[in-house]
Amino acid sequence: IFQVVQRDSAKFLFEVKASMLELYNADLRDLLSRTKDPPKLEFKSHRQADGAVSQRLEGLTEVTVSCSSDLAKVVTTGLGNRKVRATKMNADSSRSHLMLVITMEVTDKVTS
């Protein structure tokens, strides 16, 4: 991702953002939220400019990242906020599913 950003930065403006969430006990949790008990995340329907309906995850924290070390920090933070409990087989077991979401918005510098 960041190699492409660097390679094409003369022609395009890039904004790269990262989010992390987990599905734990049928609830979606924002792993980057700064609140002690973040609210549960929910999908909401949104009508786009062309009339199409899309689903958007409301309230998910997005962090702007500009290099791989920024992204690594986001991942470290998210992993530290996962729900884990010891089991007989594993001291740091997680019964959740994790998603790392990377969003890249690209704007042509000439045509916008």
Side-chain angles (χ1 to χ4, degrees), residues 11-43:
K11 294 186 263 180
F12 302 101
L13 294 172
F14 293 91
E15 185 174 26
V16 182
K17 296 180 181 179
S19 303
M20 283 184 74
L21 62 139
E22 74 175 336
L23 175 62
Y24 181 76
N25 288 337
D27 293 325
L28 290 170
R29 293 185 56 245
D30 184 349
L31 294 176
L32 301 179
S33 176
R34 294 179 183 222
T35 60
K36 184 178 178 181
D37 291 317
K40 294 176 187 172
L41 300 171
E42 294 183 8
F43 283 99

Side-chain angles (χ1 to χ4, degrees), residues 92-107:
D92 290 319
S93 179
S94 176
R95 300 193 183 271
S96 68
H97 300 280
L98 176 120
M99 267 200 298
L100 170 65
V101 179
I102 300 173
T103 306
M104 186 161 66
E105 187 175 317
V106 182
T107 305

Side-chain angles (χ1 to χ4, degrees), residues 18-76:
S19 303
M20 283 184 74
L21 62 139
E22 74 175 336
L23 175 62
Y24 181 76
N25 288 337
D27 293 325
L28 290 170
R29 293 185 56 245
D30 184 349
L31 294 176
L32 301 179
S33 176
R34 294 179 183 222
T35 60
K36 184 178 178 181
D37 291 317
K40 294 176 187 172
L41 300 171
E42 294 183 8
F43 283 99
K44 301 283 183 175
S45 295
H46 289 273
R47 186 162 308 278
Q48 298 178 359
D50 65 358
V53 176
S54 66
Q55 295 292 312
R56 187 177 296 163
L57 196 54
E58 292 283 322
L60 186 61
T61 303
E62 291 185 305
V63 177
T64 300
V65 292
S66 58
C67 60
S68 58
S69 62
D70 288 350
L71 184 57
K73 289 176 190 173
V74 168
V75 170
T76 298

